[in-house]
Amino acid sequence: MERTLYIECYSGISGDMTVAALLDLGADQKALEEAINSIRTLVSGFEIVIKKVQKAGVCACDFAVILDKEHENYDHDMQYLHGHAQKEHHKEHHHEHGEHHHVGLSEITDVLNQAKLTEGARTLALHIFRILADAESKAHNKPVNEVHFHEVGAVDSIVDILSVAVCIDLLKKQYHITDVVVSELYEGHGSVRCQHGILPVPVPATANIIETYQLPVHFMEFQGEFVTPTGAAIAAAVRTKKHLPNKFRLVASGVGAGKRTYEKASLLRAMIIEEDSEKQEKIYKLESNIDDCPGEAFGYVIDRLFAAGARDVYFVPVFMKKNRPAYQLSVICKEEDISKLEKIIFQETTTIGIRRVEMERTILKRENQMVDTSLGKLMVKICEEKIYPEYESLTSICQEKGISYLEAYHKVYTELNHKKSSKQE
């Protein structure tokens, strides 16, 4: 059964929040710790702590990267972040360590290439960092290879991004996830202190990612930075679909806690969902009334339309103005096939206009299989509780056996559905 990972960002998104939510969802903590330990000879100055916490009365997972004094960036100190008077230890810290070792994309790539990761996790982690590098490059008007990441490339962000990639790779295999949907990003307003000073929210790197990847965003009335550059990059990198299905079942859920204390609690929720068997999707109907085209042309245009991807094609006789007899041509298709199908209709008929209608439809899950029957091997369509013989496969048997189509159809239909009912009993 195909499943979707849904990341709900109604209180923003950051690296540590994402890791925590994915761990709470069921990602293997031991496997994650092994991946993190594989970079300790390359990246120093940190420890990780994973625990359960209460946030706004909600039980959530907390993933913390604890940095030593040399690497501390005060990312969770609310007084410092929002531009209030600096404390003495901040001044001392920046006097002693004002020039942190800033990390470039090439160094980060070396770390990830040497880490003990699956190829899926490594590829995703590199993709997230590339998105960040491009955003920082645009913000500072520098080539990507000259970008040094500051907070984004600090030790905790390297660990966060590696951990997100590992957890998503683990969950995809565990739950057979085929798509990832990310909700609109809920961001605050005001300002936040960064390496370059006090900047407006969203900070330039985050804004660049939102713009480049067309991430939907909603600005809240609360002050504060709810969407970090790392969080935005994760959302851009993992999202494969824009919308959830209309109907689904919730398989599992997890909640990750953020470290920053805002009026609105920093919580990120991740869910595994399974689409309901009655699938709703968008379909289009192309329609044209044609009164001056020979009937033979319709047979040819139908063949061309089916070959080009039409889901169904039919034409019916109609009477137009002044009682002129005509045909109404209707084509059912997917949105991505509209252009080429319209081109065929204009080429092969005399119409000068095509109506286009978007429709919703509900379909049952179906699959094709080759099965054994008393008449021989037959391709069938399995649709929920019923099995139907496929036309082309059945007509081949009819020609081979010298029996009528209706006789063969009723025989194998009854036989196949009786077998299915017996198995269920």
Side-chain angles (χ1 to χ4, degrees):
M1 180 67 71
E2 295 182 352
R3 288 166 174 163
T4 297
L5 170 63
Y6 176 50
I7 301 176
E8 188 181 71
C9 309
Y10 292 153
S11 293
I13 181 171
S14 65
D16 59 334
M17 290 169 71
T18 308
V19 181
L22 297 175
L23 285 170
D24 202 40
L25 189 57
D28 188 336
Q29 181 175 329
K30 183 177 179 182
L32 173 60
E33 289 171 347
E34 288 177 358
I36 293 172
N37 289 336
S38 73
I39 67 168
R40 288 191 180 277
T41 58
L42 306 168
V43 179
S44 60
F46 75 94
E47 295 296 333
I48 62 167
V49 176
I50 301 169
K51 61 183 180 181
K52 290 287 187 178
V53 297
Q54 289 281 328
K55 192 89 171 179
V58 175
C59 180
C61 178
D62 179 80
F63 177 83
V65 181
I66 310 300
L67 303 173
D68 61 21
K69 289 184 178 181
E70 182 180 352
H71 296 86
E72 178 59 72
N73 59 13
Y74 299 96
D75 188 54
H76 307 133
D77 188 318
M78 304 306 292
Q79 288 288 105
Y80 174 72
L81 275 175
H82 294 288
H84 301 301
Q86 294 187 20
K87 299 176 184 177
E88 286 303 313
H89 71 275
H90 290 309
K91 291 180 180 178
E92 293 170 4
H93 176 86
H94 285 280
H95 176 72
E96 294 173 6
H97 307 288
E99 295 297 327
H100 281 173
H101 174 59
H102 295 157
V103 183
L105 186 60
S106 61
E107 293 125 313
I108 292 169
T109 300
D110 288 340
V111 169
L112 294 175
N113 282 335
Q114 294 181 60
K116 187 178 178 182
L117 304 175
T118 64
E119 282 309 304
R122 194 186 327 276
T123 299
L124 178 55
L126 289 169
H127 183 37
I128 294 170
F129 267 112
R130 181 69 194 201
I131 291 172
L132 283 168
D134 290 340
E136 290 284 351
S137 171
K138 184 177 179 180
H140 302 298
N141 194 27
K142 289 183 177 181
V144 170
N145 60 357
E146 293 182 15
V147 168
H148 292 97
F149 285 94
H150 308 305
E151 289 93 351
V152 171
V155 173
D156 57 341
S157 290
I158 294 175
V159 177
D160 283 347
I161 289 172
L162 178 148
S163 299
V164 167
V166 169
C167 287
I168 287 182
D169 188 64
L170 290 167
L171 289 169
K172 280 186 174 181
K173 295 170 183 175
Q174 179 181 347
Y175 285 104
H176 307 291
I177 294 168
T178 56
D179 283 297
V180 180
V181 176
V182 180
S183 76
E184 58 187 323
L185 309 183
Y186 273 54
E187 177 63 296
H189 69 276
S191 60
V192 66
R193 188 188 299 275
C194 299
Q195 178 74 20
H196 305 285
I198 298 174
L199 298 177
V201 173
V203 297
T206 300
N208 289 339
I209 294 169
I210 290 171
E211 176 189 351
T212 301
Y213 292 89
Q214 292 296 285
L215 300 177
V217 62
H218 172 87
F219 288 102
M220 303 180 289
E221 68 274 17
F222 304 111
Q223 287 198 5
E225 182 192 33
F226 286 77
V227 180
T228 66
T230 300
I234 291 167
V238 304
R239 187 177 71 149
T240 62
K241 287 178 69 175
K242 293 182 179 180
H243 304 293
L244 290 171
N246 291 331
K247 293 173 66 178
F248 57 84
R249 290 182 289 272
L250 182 61
V251 177
S253 64
V255 180
K259 308 296 185 301
R260 298 177 182 179
T261 304
Y262 292 125
E263 187 177 350
K264 184 177 184 180
S266 297
L267 293 169
L268 182 73
R269 186 159 59 171
M271 291 175 268
I272 304 293
I273 65 168
E274 187 175 271
E275 190 169 0
D276 204 344
S277 58
E278 288 190 355
K279 183 179 179 182
Q280 288 193 328
E281 63 176 33
K282 299 288 185 183
I283 202 78
Y284 283 80
K285 180 166 76 169
L286 311 179
E287 191 176 83
S288 184
N289 290 1
I290 307 171
D291 66 352
D292 56 352
C293 187
E296 295 88 347
F298 284 98
Y300 182 62
V301 74
I302 285 175
D303 291 341
R304 283 203 64 190
L305 290 168
F306 274 125
R311 308 306 296 270
D312 201 1
V313 185
Y314 58 93
F315 61 97
V316 296
V318 295
F319 287 94
M320 296 171 60
K321 61 185 177 181
K322 299 180 182 178
N323 288 329
R324 289 202 305 268
Y327 291 105
Q328 184 180 90
L329 175 67
S330 297
V331 181
I332 307 299
C333 66
K334 291 184 176 180
E335 183 176 10
E336 58 265 30
D337 295 325
I338 289 174
S339 179
K340 62 181 177 181
L341 295 177
E342 286 185 340
K343 185 176 181 180
I344 292 172
I345 295 171
F346 282 126
Q347 286 177 342
E348 300 294 346
T349 74
T350 57
T351 189
I352 59 173
I354 301 170
R355 297 182 294 275
R356 183 187 309 163
V357 182
E358 180 188 290
M359 300 181 292
E360 290 186 353
R361 68 171 185 166
T362 301
I363 60 174
L364 298 177
K365 185 179 180 182
R366 78 283 302 273
E367 61 177 317
N368 290 332
Q369 284 186 11
M370 184 68 76
V371 299
D372 291 316
T373 72
S374 60
L375 295 179
K377 287 191 176 296
L378 180 69
M379 181 64 71
V380 299
K381 181 187 295 178
I382 302 174
C383 186
E384 291 294 320
E385 302 302 320
K386 294 184 179 180
I387 304 178
Y388 301 93
E390 287 286 9
Y391 175 77
E392 290 82 3
S393 184
L394 187 59
T395 55
S396 296
I397 288 179
C398 292
Q399 293 170 0
E400 180 187 337
K401 303 288 185 182
I403 58 178
S404 72
Y405 177 83
L406 287 178
E407 179 185 352
Y409 182 91
H410 289 305
K411 182 177 181 63
V412 297
Y413 179 84
T414 302
E415 179 183 320
L416 292 168
N417 284 282
H418 177 71
K419 286 182 180 178
K420 187 173 179 67
S421 298
S422 299
K423 286 182 180 179
Q424 290 176 341
E425 292 173 0

